[in-house]
Amino acid sequence: MRYGELINLLIVDLQGLLRSHVRIKDATFQQVIAISIIPDTGIEMTSLSRKLGIDNSTATRLVDGLGKKHWIEKTLYSDDKRVVIVLLTRKGVMIQKKIESQFDKIGEKVESLFTATDSINILEGMRSLHWKLARMLLNKK
Protein backbone atom coordinates (compact mmCIF):
# COMPACT_ATOMS: atom_id res chain seq x y z
CA MET A 1 0.00 0.00 0.00
CA ARG A 2 1.36 3.40 -0.95
CA TYR A 3 1.45 6.50 1.24
CA GLY A 4 -1.29 8.32 -0.66
CA GLU A 5 -3.68 5.40 -0.43
CA LEU A 6 -2.93 4.85 3.26
CA ILE A 7 -3.30 8.56 4.06
CA ASN A 8 -6.69 8.56 2.33
CA LEU A 9 -7.83 5.49 4.29
CA LEU A 10 -6.65 7.05 7.56
CA ILE A 11 -8.51 10.28 6.82
CA VAL A 12 -11.72 8.41 6.10
CA ASP A 13 -11.38 6.23 9.22
CA LEU A 14 -10.44 9.13 11.50
CA GLN A 15 -13.25 11.34 10.23
CA GLY A 16 -15.71 8.52 10.76
CA LEU A 17 -14.39 7.93 14.27
CA LEU A 18 -14.52 11.62 15.17
CA ARG A 19 -17.91 12.21 13.60
CA SER A 20 -19.44 9.31 15.51
CA HIS A 21 -17.78 9.99 18.89
CA VAL A 22 -17.35 13.77 19.13
CA ARG A 23 -20.61 15.58 19.55
CA ILE A 24 -21.18 19.17 20.54
CA LYS A 25 -24.75 20.42 20.60
CA ASP A 26 -25.53 22.84 17.75
CA ALA A 27 -22.06 22.45 16.17
CA THR A 28 -21.17 21.10 12.76
CA PHE A 29 -18.20 18.78 12.38
CA GLN A 30 -16.22 21.59 10.71
CA GLN A 31 -16.99 23.91 13.64
CA VAL A 32 -15.83 21.25 16.11
CA ILE A 33 -12.55 20.82 14.27
CA ALA A 34 -12.05 24.61 14.03
CA ILE A 35 -12.67 25.13 17.76
CA SER A 36 -10.33 22.25 18.59
CA ILE A 37 -7.33 23.83 16.84
CA ILE A 38 -7.60 27.42 18.07
CA PRO A 39 -4.76 27.97 20.58
CA ASP A 40 -5.16 29.95 23.82
CA THR A 41 -3.32 32.87 22.23
CA GLY A 42 -5.60 32.89 19.18
CA ILE A 43 -4.83 32.23 15.54
CA GLU A 44 -4.64 34.36 12.42
CA MET A 45 -7.57 33.78 10.08
CA THR A 46 -5.20 32.83 7.24
CA SER A 47 -3.45 30.25 9.42
CA LEU A 48 -6.79 28.81 10.51
CA SER A 49 -7.99 28.46 6.93
CA ARG A 50 -4.67 26.85 5.94
CA LYS A 51 -4.84 24.34 8.82
CA LEU A 52 -8.42 23.46 7.93
CA GLY A 53 -7.57 23.23 4.24
CA ILE A 54 -10.26 25.68 3.18
CA ASP A 55 -10.35 29.04 1.38
CA ASN A 56 -10.26 32.26 3.42
CA SER A 57 -13.82 33.06 2.37
CA THR A 58 -15.05 29.68 3.64
CA ALA A 59 -13.10 30.16 6.87
CA THR A 60 -14.69 33.59 7.28
CA ARG A 61 -18.19 32.08 7.04
CA LEU A 62 -17.19 29.34 9.48
CA VAL A 63 -15.76 31.84 11.97
CA ASP A 64 -18.77 34.13 11.60
CA GLY A 65 -21.01 31.18 12.52
CA LEU A 66 -18.88 30.49 15.59
CA GLY A 67 -19.08 34.19 16.47
CA LYS A 68 -22.89 34.08 16.36
CA LYS A 69 -22.72 31.29 18.95
CA HIS A 70 -20.40 33.47 21.06
CA TRP A 71 -17.69 30.77 20.95
CA ILE A 72 -15.07 33.00 19.33
CA GLU A 73 -14.35 36.65 18.79
CA LYS A 74 -12.40 38.34 16.05
CA THR A 75 -9.93 41.11 16.64
CA LEU A 76 -7.48 42.99 14.45
CA TYR A 77 -3.76 42.43 14.92
CA SER A 78 -2.23 45.49 16.57
CA ASP A 79 0.72 45.77 14.14
CA ASP A 80 -1.25 45.18 10.94
CA LYS A 81 -4.94 46.02 10.94
CA ARG A 82 -5.48 43.81 7.87
CA VAL A 83 -4.73 40.68 9.90
CA VAL A 84 -7.72 39.14 11.72
CA ILE A 85 -7.04 37.15 14.88
CA VAL A 86 -9.57 34.55 16.03
CA LEU A 87 -9.77 34.08 19.81
CA LEU A 88 -11.86 31.74 21.94
CA THR A 89 -14.37 33.32 24.31
CA ARG A 90 -14.98 31.84 27.77
CA LYS A 91 -17.82 29.84 26.26
CA GLY A 92 -15.50 28.73 23.44
CA VAL A 93 -12.88 27.57 25.94
CA MET A 94 -15.54 25.46 27.67
CA ILE A 95 -16.58 23.95 24.34
CA GLN A 96 -12.93 23.27 23.47
CA LYS A 97 -12.46 21.45 26.79
CA LYS A 98 -15.50 19.27 26.04
CA ILE A 99 -14.06 18.45 22.62
CA GLU A 100 -10.64 17.62 24.10
CA SER A 101 -12.30 15.35 26.67
CA GLN A 102 -14.07 13.49 23.89
CA PHE A 103 -10.79 13.24 21.93
CA ASP A 104 -9.12 11.80 25.03
CA LYS A 105 -11.81 9.11 25.33
CA ILE A 106 -11.25 8.13 21.69
CA GLY A 107 -7.50 8.08 22.31
CA GLU A 108 -7.92 5.77 25.30
CA LYS A 109 -10.02 3.35 23.23
CA VAL A 110 -7.45 3.34 20.44
CA GLU A 111 -4.55 2.93 22.88
CA SER A 112 -6.26 -0.11 24.43
CA LEU A 113 -6.00 -1.89 21.07
CA PHE A 114 -2.19 -2.10 21.32
CA THR A 115 0.45 -3.52 23.62
CA ALA A 116 2.53 -1.00 25.57
CA THR A 117 5.51 -1.46 23.24
CA ASP A 118 3.40 -1.11 20.11
CA SER A 119 1.71 1.94 21.59
CA ILE A 120 5.05 3.69 22.15
CA ASN A 121 6.20 2.92 18.59
CA ILE A 122 2.88 4.04 17.08
CA LEU A 123 2.92 7.30 19.06
CA GLU A 124 6.46 8.06 17.91
CA GLY A 125 5.49 7.33 14.31
CA MET A 126 2.38 9.50 14.57
CA ARG A 127 4.38 12.38 16.10
CA SER A 128 6.91 12.14 13.31
CA LEU A 129 4.19 12.02 10.64
CA HIS A 130 2.42 15.00 12.21
CA TRP A 131 5.64 17.02 12.35
CA LYS A 132 6.54 16.29 8.74
CA LEU A 133 3.03 17.01 7.46
CA ALA A 134 2.86 20.28 9.40
CA ARG A 135 6.20 21.35 7.91
CA MET A 136 5.02 20.30 4.45
CA LEU A 137 1.91 22.48 4.85
CA LEU A 138 3.98 25.45 6.02
CA ASN A 139 6.30 25.10 3.04
CA LYS A 140 3.32 24.39 0.72
CA LYS A 141 5.11 21.46 -0.93
Side-chain angles (χ1 to χ4, degrees):
M1 191 174 294
R2 296 180 177 247
Y3 275 92
E5 183 181 357
L6 186 54
I7 288 169
N8 182 56
L9 292 173
L10 283 170
I11 288 169
V12 171
D13 291 342
L14 290 171
Q15 280 189 343
L17 189 64
L18 292 176
R19 286 179 188 270
S20 65
H21 287 82
V22 178
R23 302 213 185 259
I24 299 296
K25 188 177 185 223
D26 299 326
T28 66
F29 181 70
Q30 191 80 352
Q31 289 174 331
V32 167
I33 297 303
I35 287 288
S36 75
I37 63 173
I38 298 173
D40 295 340
T41 56
I43 188 170
E44 290 182 15
M45 184 71 106
T46 303
S47 296
L48 180 64
S49 66
R50 189 177 310 128
K51 282 185 170 226
L52 293 171
I54 58 178
D55 292 334
N56 280 335
S57 60
T58 305
T60 298
R61 286 190 299 278
L62 177 66
V63 165
D64 288 347
L66 293 170
K68 287 177 184 173
K69 295 175 188 208
H70 306 287
W71 294 356
I72 61 96
E73 61 185 16
K74 294 190 293 187
T75 186
L76 299 178
Y77 184 61
S78 60
D79 293 342
D80 185 346
K81 300 297 183 196
R82 298 171 295 171
V83 177
V84 176
I85 306 293
V86 179
L87 297 160
L88 293 172
T89 62
R90 267 193 230 134
K91 192 173 181 180
V93 170
M94 289 173 33
I95 297 293
Q96 189 181 64
K97 286 181 181 178
K98 287 181 186 177
I99 294 168
E100 288 172 358
S101 174
Q102 293 177 32
F103 285 170
D104 288 343
K105 287 178 185 174
I106 295 169
E108 290 168 8
K109 287 181 182 180
V110 171
E111 184 178 17
S112 73
L113 301 173
F114 301 100
T115 66
T117 302
D118 286 345
S119 185
I120 290 167
N121 292 332
I122 290 167
L123 280 174
E124 284 303 312
M126 287 173 47
R127 281 187 193 108
S128 177
L129 176 63
H130 166 70
W131 175 254
K132 291 180 187 308
L133 292 176
R135 289 185 54 115
M136 189 172 86
L137 283 171
L138 283 175
N139 296 326
K140 295 184 181 183
K141 291 184 181 178

